[in-house]
Each structure stands twice: as C-alpha cells, then as structure tokens.
Amino acid sequence: MSIEAPDPITTAPVATHPARTAPAKTDPVRTTAPVPAWRDLVVRRLAPLLGWVVTLVVAAQLAQGAYGQLTESDRSVGMFEAIGFPASVVFLVGVLQAVAVVLYVVPWTAFLGALLLTAYLGGAVAAHVRLEDAVAHTLTPVLFAVGIWAALFLRSERIRWAVLTGR
C-alpha cells in the first residue's frame, strides 16, 4: 500500500511505504513539550493587549508633558528655568518629546521611539539629580522608562524573542 504525500520542497507527490519509513529521530536537547492552551492564550493574546494598555498610559502621560512644553505653559517654563535652561528651549524640547512619543506609539518605529524616550528620560533623571530633588522625583522618569520597555516587550513578539533568546 502506498500513500501519496506532498514533498515540502518540490510539492510533487512522493510515494512512501509505512513499513519502509525510518523512525523519527528525537534530539534529547531540543525535545519540547506541547504548549498548553492557556500559555498560548496569554502569550499570543493577553500579553500584546496588556502591552498596548501600558503603552497608551505611558504615551498619554508623556504627550501631556509635551503639550505643556509646546504651549510653553508657565509650569513648563518654570521647571526649565529651575533646572537652568532658558525659556527659549522649552518649545524645542516639547517638539522632540512629541516626536519621540509618536514614534513610540507607531508599531514600525516603536523601538526607535523607545530609545529616544529613554534618552529623554535619562536627561530628566540627570536634571533631578543635579537639583538634588527628592528620591521620588528622581525615580519617576526611571519608572516611565521601565514602563516603556516593559510595554514594548509585551506587545512585540520580535522583541520578546530577542530578549529571551539573547539573539
């Protein structure tokens, strides 16, 4: 008895005989157990959804700050002057922050946006350290940066693969 099975390379039918097929070789190092359905649901559905929720929360907060700088609100100008920056740079920093937030929210440029926002938040940490602010004020930008990367990790399968495999 012959069974016709398509060849995966040429897609031409290949005759196989059940008695003549070699037993499948198993590699003890690469043997994987079947993935439970709940894990597949969490990794494929819930993780990206949670990542987008965190992304939108962080992006809304950073966009609100960018809006204050773009409108050159008294609060933003006062904070920049307290740090030692002239009021003339508030608008420029607001533009840079707004561009980074937009890049972060767009899936194709999210990695670049995360890098730019991390650099921006690093400058905020440096400013708080220079002013000798309270620890809570100094750690707030750090928590935002952690949220940015955690959300990107959750919403992007490619970044999860790169982080978890080290490649």
Side-chain angles (χ1 to χ4, degrees):
M1 176 172 187
S2 174
I3 300 173
E4 298 291 330
D7 183 72
I9 297 174
T10 63
T11 65
V14 177
T16 59
H17 190 277
R20 294 184 189 166
T21 58
K25 295 181 181 179
T26 58
D27 186 1
V29 176
R30 294 190 177 194
T31 303
T32 58
V35 177
W38 65 267
R39 184 169 180 239
D40 186 53
L41 173 73
V42 169
V43 171
R44 301 236 183 239
R45 302 280 186 213
L46 296 180
L49 180 65
L50 180 62
W52 275 107
V53 168
V54 174
T55 294
L56 294 177
V57 168
V58 169
Q61 291 290 319
L62 292 172
Q64 181 182 6
Y67 176 76
Q69 293 166 3
L70 289 171
T71 59
E72 295 181 352
S73 69
D74 293 336
R75 183 171 185 247
S76 294
V77 171
M79 287 190 312
F80 272 75
E81 288 176 345
I83 295 170
F85 289 111
S88 61
V89 300
V90 174
F91 182 77
L92 175 63
V93 172
V95 168
L96 295 174
Q97 183 177 354
V99 167
V101 169
V102 169
L103 287 173
Y104 176 61
V105 173
V106 175
W108 299 278
T109 58
F111 188 78
L112 176 62
L115 287 175
L116 293 174
L117 286 173
T118 303
Y120 174 80
L121 293 168
V125 169
H128 285 294
V129 167
R130 181 177 167 270
L131 293 176
E132 297 176 356
D133 275 343
V135 174
H137 290 172
T138 305
L139 288 181
T140 300
V142 173
L143 294 176
F144 270 98
V146 168
I148 286 169
W149 287 102
L152 196 59
F153 176 83
L154 289 171
R155 76 183 220 211
S156 172
E157 186 175 341
R158 292 172 63 187
I159 291 182
R160 276 196 307 269
W161 181 82
V163 169
L164 295 176
T165 63
R167 295 182 189 165

